[in-house]
Amino acid sequence: TTIISYIHVTMKALIVVAAVVLLGCASALQHPAATHKFPTRRSILSLPPKAVIAAATGASSATIISPSTANAAKPNGLILDKSSESGLKWADAKQGTGQPLKPGMVASIDYSMASTVGRQPQIYTTKDKGVPYRWTLGDGSTIAGIELAILGSSGDDNSIPPMLPGGIRRVIIPANLGYQSILNEKDPKCIEGKDIGPIPPKNNSDGGYQRWYQFYCNPRIPYQPDIVLDIKLYGKR
């Protein structure tokens, strides 16, 4: 009887220990240690393509996430979870200063463009090219998603604040605010200056134009994936 009682007590003790271990594992899974870093002063235009796409498609909550949150994309990821009624998502990596631009003014930006699909999501960047993209706001030459990101919007609960000179903003642009209008043209040219921009230079050797064409000006592929853009807005130049 004594031996049987001892066995019962030992088994109960082992069950209690196992339960404590399992609870500890569950807690660790629910609250992993935060190991990522928040975006540094280094321009997000220099982030690798995979980091751009991971950050863009991993969004799920409401503002730029603080360093203590563990689900930000790595490295230096931004959570793009602010969304307007238009469908544009955005997050600011750097706030600019000065006055916002208005329709009719000339805008000058550097941008890095990527797609949310494909084995090579990175498409093209003006960074380090020495030739920013320039146009007059509201002249119809540039996709609506970029103008909306710069000018901002108002009138709904999720209004977009305008960018200020020197600011850097990452946006996810849905097809209806991107290049979808090109496919509605009878004879699209798919060349910068002939169709709505920005369009990578056709004679560039980095393959950016070919990647852009495949996703956004290919009549055999009517579906256009979302565009991921990192935009740096300049002041008067």
Side-chain angles (χ1 to χ4, degrees), residues 59-109:
S60 62
S61 50
T63 55
I64 294 180
I65 302 301
S66 66
S68 62
T69 302
N71 65 341
K74 305 174 185 179
N76 300 326
L78 288 174
I79 300 296
L80 279 85
D81 47 12
K82 301 178 189 176
S83 180
S84 69
E85 290 183 354
S86 66
L88 184 86
K89 295 182 179 180
W90 82 96
D92 287 324
K94 179 183 177 182
Q95 297 285 346
T97 58
Q99 297 299 315
L101 301 182
K102 303 293 184 182
M105 298 178 69
V106 174
S108 181
I109 64 171

Side-chain angles (χ1 to χ4, degrees), residues 50-62:
K50 289 184 179 179
V52 173
I53 302 305
T57 56
S60 62
S61 50

